[in-house]
């Protein structure tokens, strides 16, 4: 018997464009201080956040994902019918089914694609991007729309100072396509289930709860080696990076990881200051805004680093579109 006749595919995958969306409503630290015992200086010193965006009742995960995905699709130069797989990374779903991805695809005019949601919490976008790259290299897809979209505000107890100052809403997206030369490096991913109880939403009637100090210690010690391994697998030295884009969890965590990576020529994303922690949306949201401002050059390498509940983590080097 002969072997499988696998269709010839390109040597890799690359990102054509990013897109982002943020709700219009800005919630400042001073506004939060009217509800809980805190103030602007305390919040800035603890997590580095000055303000965050909170979605209105009419802005669900689907609506935000459509906006970000549509922007990325427009920037890619592809038509909706060119997309054959849609992945939505989210951990804040309003309901468990149907998936958001199929609805998002329909609203964007993408006909009959593969479509599914992926939940790796704050590492979700990196997981989804790795999955999209693998699908393309394996011949299962040609063009993939990857979206991170979160409405964390619906899972927040606004009287809990430890969480209400941190989380926010938004979406970021990327269009991934087949390429003769790889523009997405190997994903380095994993998890630490022993610490899975450190960030949880226990059931549909619960709010998000986290043990901040435990997560801080884990992130500042365990994540930099993962990021460095992603650089090694991609064949890119940290000194050659143009950007380092960690999950926007906490400005002190971001700074600690960046110091350990030692990428002297890289712009380090600090979108958390104005956007808050948007979980699985934070990496594409931050990078899309960096590209739009002209902070990073097209064609240069960027290191993406996701980490969070699970405790899941993932990193990969990409070529900036």
């Amino acid at each position: 018997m002969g072997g499988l006749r696998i269709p010839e595919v390109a040597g890799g995958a690359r990102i054509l464009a990013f897109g982002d969306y943020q709700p219009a409503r800005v919630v400042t630290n001073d506004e939060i201080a009217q509800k809980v015992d805190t103030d602007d200086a305390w919040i800035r010193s603890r997590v580095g956040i000055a303000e965050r965006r909170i979605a209105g009742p009419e802005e669900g995960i689907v609506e935000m994902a459509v906006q970000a995905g549509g922007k990325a699709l427009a920037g890619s130069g592809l038509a909706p019918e060119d997309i054959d797989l849609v992945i939505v990374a989210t951990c804040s779903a309003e309901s468990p089914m149907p998936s958001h991805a199929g609805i998002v695809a329909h609203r964007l005019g993408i006909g009959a694609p593969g479509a599914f949601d992926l939940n790796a919490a704050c590492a979700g976008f990196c997981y989804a991007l790795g999955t999209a790259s693998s699908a393309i290299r394996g011949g299962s897809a040609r063009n993939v729309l990857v979206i991170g979209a979160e409405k964390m505000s619906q899972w927040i107890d606004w009287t809990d100072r430890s969480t209400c100052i941190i989380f926010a809403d938004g979406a970021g997206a990327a269009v991934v396509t087949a390429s003769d030369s790889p523009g997405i490096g190997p994903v380095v991913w994993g998890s630490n289930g022993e610490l899975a109880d450190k960030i949880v939403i226990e059931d549909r009637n619960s709010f998000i709860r986290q043990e901040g100090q435990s997560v801080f210690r884990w992130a500042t010690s365990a994540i930099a080696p993962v990021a460095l391994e992603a650089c090694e697998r991609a064949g890119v030295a940290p000194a050659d990076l143009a950007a380092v884009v960690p999950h926007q969890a906490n400005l002190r965590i971001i700074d600690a990881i960046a110091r350990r990576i030692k990428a002297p020529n890289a712009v380090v994303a600090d979108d958390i200051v104005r956007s808050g922690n948007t979980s699985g949306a934070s990496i594409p949201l931050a990078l899309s805004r960096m590209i739009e401002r002209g902070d990073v050059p097209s064609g240069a390498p960027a290191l993406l680093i996701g980490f969070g509940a699970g405790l899941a983590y993932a990193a990969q080097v990409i070529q900036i579109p």
Side-chain angles (χ1 to χ4, degrees):
M1 293 178 64
L4 293 176
R5 295 184 178 179
I6 304 214
E8 183 178 346
V9 295
R14 64 185 176 95
I15 298 174
L16 290 175
F18 279 91
D20 62 87
Y21 175 80
Q22 290 185 290
R25 184 187 172 201
V26 176
V27 175
T28 65
N29 291 341
D30 290 336
E31 182 176 341
I32 289 181
Q34 297 174 12
K35 302 176 183 178
V36 296
D37 181 18
T38 189
D39 57 45
D40 178 67
W42 189 87
I43 295 172
R44 287 175 185 258
S45 67
R46 297 289 291 182
V47 295
I49 298 172
E51 61 187 37
R52 71 285 293 148
R53 301 294 185 97
I54 301 299
E58 74 289 349
E59 292 175 300
I61 292 171
V62 166
E63 286 71 29
M64 292 188 287
V66 166
Q67 292 294 325
K71 185 176 178 179
L73 188 56
S76 73
L78 298 180
E81 56 266 25
D82 294 325
I83 303 296
D84 42 27
L85 176 61
V86 177
I87 307 172
V88 173
T90 187
C91 65
S92 55
E94 295 98 337
S95 63
M97 62 180 180
S99 74
H100 298 80
I103 302 171
V104 170
H106 173 72
R107 293 194 185 178
L108 288 173
I110 300 171
F116 62 91
D117 293 353
L118 184 154
N119 183 354
C122 304
F125 182 79
C126 290
Y127 268 70
L129 190 60
T131 301
S133 177
S134 294
I136 288 172
R137 289 185 293 107
S140 297
R142 182 78 185 176
N143 300 300
V144 185
L145 177 60
V146 180
I147 306 172
E150 304 282 13
K151 190 172 182 178
M152 302 302 294
S153 61
Q154 64 189 346
W155 297 101
I156 294 172
D157 177 357
W158 288 95
T159 67
D160 176 9
R161 185 178 69 167
S162 67
T163 55
C164 75
I165 66 171
I166 297 173
F167 293 101
D169 305 329
V175 174
V176 185
T177 191
S179 173
D180 291 334
S181 58
I184 300 174
V187 62
V188 179
W189 50 18
S191 62
N192 186 341
E194 184 180 359
L195 301 178
D197 62 346
K198 303 306 179 186
I199 311 174
V200 298
I201 300 173
E202 293 176 350
D203 54 48
R204 69 179 66 189
N205 298 312
S206 299
F207 297 112
I208 189 168
R209 174 179 57 79
Q210 68 173 3
E211 296 182 22
Q213 288 302 313
S214 297
V215 175
F216 183 92
R217 288 192 297 269
W218 170 75
T220 54
S221 61
I223 299 305
V226 175
L228 290 171
E229 184 178 347
C231 289
E232 183 178 353
R233 290 196 190 182
V236 175
D240 295 330
L241 293 169
V244 174
V245 190
H247 163 51
Q248 302 293 288
N250 177 311
L251 194 58
R252 292 190 297 150
I253 293 175
I254 292 168
D255 290 343
I257 293 173
R259 284 195 303 271
R260 292 192 64 189
I261 292 171
K262 298 179 181 178
N265 302 311
V267 177
V268 180
D270 61 356
D271 197 55
I272 189 170
V273 177
R274 298 296 174 190
S275 300
N277 179 341
T278 56
S279 191
S282 77
I283 289 174
L285 176 58
L287 186 50
S288 179
R289 285 159 56 84
M290 292 168 74
I291 293 170
E292 205 165 65
R293 291 192 301 263
D295 293 346
V296 290
S298 175
L303 172 63
L304 313 185
I305 316 163
F307 54 90
L311 293 174
Y313 54 84
Q316 68 260 90
V317 175
I318 67 160
Q319 186 178 49
I320 297 168

